[in-house]
């Protein structure tokens, strides 16, 4: 059974409030998404396995923990998930990076896949799947379906803002994965946008529209 963690940390909430502000421009939006991803990653990797290794300090010899050879992959959901990658890589610079391209149809709100490239040995890796927005949950569910079909069993989905509808849908479809949410918002509107949300994350990161 996976865990769902709503981070609800003052630093993360403060930065999300700045993200929500319609006056926040592309440059600051990008920086904030990256910083939030770093803070979320710190929490999401809390359960990384460690082993004791011998270390000699200037004072004494000791057995102290180091992260064991856990292989990591970061697989952002394009486009908006790309904005979270550098923040995660700041903490785990040797992680491999894959990409899943999914785009919601504007009318049906259902995702369709247009690109996928994953690192080798993906089935043995811990996969971090970042996407700033979890709205209906359709994109996240499809991305996890895809990663699981490649044999992955250790998956952590990370989003900045989730709607209750999308969180429920993802938990129901994939009860075994860990889910990290920066802030749980109120509801979806008639266009399947998160309320209050921050608008279209991809457009705000890349300055499109
Ligand atoms: C956004 C967002 C998620 C998806 C969430 O991407 O980044 O991937 O919508 O919505 P859902 O939970 O209802 O599936 P979008 O499809 O707009 O593509 P983009 O990142 O290229 O802008
Ligand atoms: N995708 C976004 O970027 N924002 C939303 O509110 C919903 C889906």
């Amino acid at each position: 059974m996976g865990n769902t963690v709503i981070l609800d940390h003052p630093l993360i909430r403060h930065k999300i409030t700045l993200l929500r502000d319609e006056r926040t421009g592309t440059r600051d939006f990008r920086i904030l998404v990256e910083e939030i991803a770093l803070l979320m990653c710190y929490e999401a990797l809390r359960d990384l396995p460690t082993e004791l290794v011998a270390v000699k300090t200037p004072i004494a010899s000791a057995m102290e923990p180091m992260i064991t050879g856990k292989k990591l992959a970061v697989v952002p959901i394009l486009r908006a998930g790309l904005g979270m990658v550098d923040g995660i890589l700041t903490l785990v610079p040797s992680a491999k990076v894959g990409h899943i391209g999914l785009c919601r149809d504007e009318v049906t709100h259902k995702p369709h896949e247009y690109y996928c490239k994953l690192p080798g040995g993906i089935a043995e890796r811990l996969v971090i799947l970042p996407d700033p927005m979890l709205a209906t949950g359709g994109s996240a569910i499809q991305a996890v379906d895809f990663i699981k079909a490649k044999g992955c069993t250790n998956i952590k989905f990370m989003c900045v803002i989730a709607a209750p509808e999308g969180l429920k849908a993802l938990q129901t479809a994939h009860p075994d994965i860990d889910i990290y949410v920066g802030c749980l918002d109120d509801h979806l509107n008639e266009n399947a946008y998160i309320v209050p949300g921050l608008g279209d994350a991809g457009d705000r990161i890349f300055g499109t529209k």
Side-chain angles (χ1 to χ4, degrees), residues 107-137:
V107 178
T108 65
H109 309 132
K110 300 256 183 282
H112 73 89
E113 187 187 317
Y114 60 88
Y115 184 78
C116 184
K117 183 90 179 167
L118 299 174
I122 192 79
E124 285 75 51
R125 295 180 188 274
L126 162 61
V127 177
I128 303 177
L129 207 56
D131 188 333
M133 310 304 274
L134 180 65
T136 65

Side-chain angles (χ1 to χ4, degrees), residues 47-59:
D47 60 356
L48 275 188
T50 58
E51 64 184 357
L52 293 179
V53 299
V55 62
K56 196 165 174 315
T57 78
I59 308 297

Side-chain angles (χ1 to χ4, degrees), residues 104 133 135 188 192-194 197-202:
R104 286 202 322 179
M133 310 304 274
L188 291 178
Y193 271 79
I194 301 174
L198 49 72
D200 188 303

Side-chain angles (χ1 to χ4, degrees), residues 40-205:
M40 293 188 71
C41 181
Y42 176 78
E43 182 60 30
L45 297 184
R46 178 179 286 284
D47 60 356
L48 275 188
T50 58
E51 64 184 357
L52 293 179
V53 299
V55 62
K56 196 165 174 315
T57 78
I59 308 297
S61 294
M63 296 297 287
E64 294 295 330
M66 282 193 79
I67 292 166
T68 50
K70 189 82 202 164
K71 289 182 168 177
L72 262 149
V74 185
V75 181
I77 301 176
L78 306 181
R79 288 175 302 168
L82 273 180
M84 299 174 73
V85 173
D86 284 350
I88 296 169
L89 291 180
T90 301
L91 295 187
V92 282
S94 57
K96 301 284 186 268
V97 180
H99 298 89
I100 297 183
L102 293 175
C103 193
R104 286 202 322 179
D105 183 282
E106 284 187 7
V107 178
T108 65
H109 309 132
K110 300 256 183 282
H112 73 89
E113 187 187 317
Y114 60 88
Y115 184 78
C116 184
K117 183 90 179 167
L118 299 174
I122 192 79
E124 285 75 51
R125 295 180 188 274
L126 162 61
V127 177
I128 303 177
L129 207 56
D131 188 333
M133 310 304 274
L134 180 65
T136 65
S139 304
I141 290 169
Q142 189 166 319
V144 177
D145 282 344
F146 193 84
I147 298 278
K148 282 187 175 174
K150 300 286 179 193
C152 299
T153 53
N154 197 356
I155 301 170
K156 291 177 184 283
F157 176 81
M158 202 186 279
C159 65
V160 175
I161 297 180
E165 297 90 329
L167 181 58
K168 183 101 198 307
L170 181 58
Q171 287 169 327
T172 304
H174 295 293
D176 53 315
I177 70 165
D178 292 330
I179 304 173
Y180 299 87
V181 177
C183 180
L184 186 60
D185 268 13
D186 198 60
H187 66 281
L188 291 178
N189 70 13
E190 60 286 2
N191 295 318
Y193 271 79
I194 301 174
V195 181
L198 49 72
D200 188 303
D203 283 342
R204 295 196 65 189
I205 289 172

